[in-house]
Amino acid sequence: MTEPSSSSVSRRPATVLMRAVRWAALALVALLTVSACAQIPTAGPVGTSNDGGSAIGNAPQYIPPGPQTGASPQSIIEGFFNAGSGYQNDFTVARQFLAPANAVSWKPSQRTLVYRGSATVVPGGRPNAYRYELDVAYSVDQDGIMTQYPPGTKQSIDVEVAQVDGQWRLSKIPDGTVIPEETFKVLYRAFSIYFFDPTFTVLVPDARWFIDNSGIAKSLVSALIAGPAPYLKPAVASAFPPGIQLERESVPIVGGVAQVDLTPELRDASFTDRQRMHSQLVRTFAALPSVGDVSLRTNQTEVAIQDPSAPRPPEPLVDPKVPSWQVGIAGGQLVQYGSKQASKIDGLSSVSQLDPSDPAAAASQHVYAFLGDDGRSLYSIVPGQPARLLDSGQSLAPPSIAPDDWVWSASPDSGAAGQIVAFRPVGTSPSATVPRASVSAPWLAGRTVKSLRVSRDGVRALVLSEADGQTLLQVAGIVRGADGAPHSLTNPITLPVTAKNPDIALWVDESTIVVSETSSTAQVAPELVSLQGGEPRQISPLTGIQSLSAGNGDSAIYAMTPDGIFLLVRTSWTEQGKGATQLAFPG
């Protein structure tokens, strides 16, 4: 890195003129590069890369202009923040706007603030002090964790300037960069890093945002070692031991193998933990087409992950799938629906006297659940046993059954003690009390839960709630006790929704959610929301959507209307007949 010095800020006029011409040319190159971002190359020569996730980085090269001789403090401040988009060579251009000591100490990767509209420089109330004011859209920390902010969220950054050899330079600046939202969408890309569920059988995605350049492999590994995002941290597990770090500042990719060189804690880890680390890394690198495998190393020497005297352990599940059948209601009974036909479920007794609605099924088929009494009672039914009342209240949320057969529901004011509940009917005799867990979620106090769905990995809860006419779509981690019983939800992340008053939110896969309003007569356009960011994507509208079900991916989304069952096929809805209502895939 080249540091600014006295000789670099005071030069002969001819040199200054030449530099001005050079920066003008570079600025034109930058403008052309960013304007071409929609045509980022997706193909090219494949070869060996010394460091990075792909042979060619996908992020465009933005080369901002450096400081101009005689520039005002405001121009220097604006130029510095504009140069935050020039990530090349450790933000060399941005460092030219800083006083020498700050140019060395400034840490650009500490945080990225992304703003809407335009930012402004205003006086700070004392000599040489200023504020950079912006409408923050989101921030991304050094581990790629994004925090989103609603429109109108104002933030100001305090800075100071000082004279260096007769030129203004920034002498006080916080770590991090600031870029406009449009530039962020060009430079950054969403990735998923992976952690385990507490039983180490399923890998769970954790969305992160990084500049998609040649250093992406190192960024992904560093984030994985640093651990899960706050909303997932109490709910997941990692095989990486405390204190372990990358041993060098790169992750070379040689012949399609990412060489992850770790500190000596790797040698102290058991074969089981090494295999689990390997699984986390392989799945995390799946987003990089140039990586086919991972080599765990320490001191640049490969470390074995398999105990030669033991059988190979089973691979962890990734993006667990639900069965192809659905549960529904027909003739006042719970039925199984598949291949456009409804059939009786073996072992289930009649529940017509309970007026069932909103059915749910365990993927194991060990337990089913439904609402009765016009949505004010929650029932479960285990094959071979009569239905049993689990809970009663007002306007209970439709049940969701987790992979471990716990039956979940919620009632109004779900932040109050005992208002989010889970029950474990499986293994309980008809004469015994069904185990019940009250799930704490203080952030839901005063809100009405419209939809509560446990993810297919069993680690996350998808919650659609409303208060004062405002609906929020949120995802929280499920914290369990040593016995596996859920006891709390973590503070959630909030996802963007454009629907005015959605009633339904369902998992489509590990990172995608379908959200929809309902209406018996009007056209409704459901939308897909991704945990990896971006605006919600509307899918084709359909008149009279009363309920939805979602299987494996967006090719298995069903809508129930007064006219029957419809399946989303590419961009249109295809009628599937009638046969059953209120269909739901297991979960």
Side-chain angles (χ1 to χ4, degrees), residues 98-122:
L98 305 179
N102 302 85
V104 174
S105 62
W106 177 60
K107 299 174 182 175
S109 62
Q110 197 75 14
R111 181 182 69 164
T112 299
L113 284 180
V114 183
Y115 63 88
R116 302 178 179 92
S118 58
T120 56
V121 179
V122 299

Side-chain angles (χ1 to χ4, degrees), residues 250-266:
S250 65
V251 176
I253 298 170
V254 180
V257 179
Q259 297 181 348
V260 180
D261 209 353
L262 299 170
T263 48
E265 288 88 350
L266 176 63

Side-chain angles (χ1 to χ4, degrees), residues 171-192:
S171 58
K172 178 183 177 183
I173 186 73
D175 290 330
T177 58
V178 176
I179 59 176
E181 189 172 16
E182 294 75 14
T183 304
F184 177 84
K185 292 175 180 178
V186 172
L187 293 182
Y188 280 72
R189 176 185 164 195
F191 296 85
S192 286

